[in-house]
Amino acid sequence: MTIDFETIQRSTIWVLVAIGIIGVLAAIVIKKIVGKIIALVLAAVLIFLGWQQRQKVIDFANSVKGTTCASSTTFVGIEVKLPDSWCQP
C-alpha cells in the first residue's frame, strides 16, 4: 500500500485541523464535567461538615439537658444559646 505525495500534501492539513477541533471540543466538555464534579464534591463536603456540626450541637444539648447549662457550644464558630426551658435555673 502506498500513498502519493500530493494526497498527503492535501489531506494532512484537514486531518490536523480536525484533530485540533476535536481537541478543543474535548477540552470544553472535560472542563464542564470536571467543573460539575468539583461542585458536587464541594457540596458533599459542606453537607458532611454541616451535619457533623449539627450533631455536635445536638449531642451537647442532650448532655447538658436538665443541668445549669453553664457551658456552651458553637455551630460553625457561632455560639449556640440553648432555650431557657432546656436548663435548670
Side-chain angles (χ1 to χ4, degrees):
M1 179 170 166
T2 60
I3 301 175
D4 64 13
F5 176 74
E6 295 197 13
T7 303
I8 291 176
Q9 197 175 17
R10 283 179 278 151
S11 301
T12 306
I13 189 75
W14 296 111
V15 171
L16 294 175
V17 168
I19 291 172
I21 291 171
I22 290 170
V24 169
L25 293 175
I28 291 169
V29 169
I30 290 170
K31 181 181 175 185
K32 287 185 179 193
I33 291 171
V34 169
K36 288 178 184 178
I37 290 171
I38 290 171
L40 288 173
V41 168
L42 181 61
V45 167
L46 291 175
I47 289 169
F48 175 75
L49 292 175
W51 189 266
Q52 222 178 14
Q53 289 289 306
R54 174 188 173 275
Q55 193 61 46
K56 178 184 142 198
V57 171
I58 291 171
D59 290 343
F60 173 79
N62 287 332
S63 72
V64 298
K65 186 174 186 177
T67 66
T68 59
C69 297
S71 58
S72 65
T73 188
T74 60
F75 179 80
V76 193
I78 302 169
E79 190 169 343
V80 176
K81 181 178 183 273
L82 295 175
D84 293 332
S85 62
W86 200 266
C87 306
Q88 286 181 344

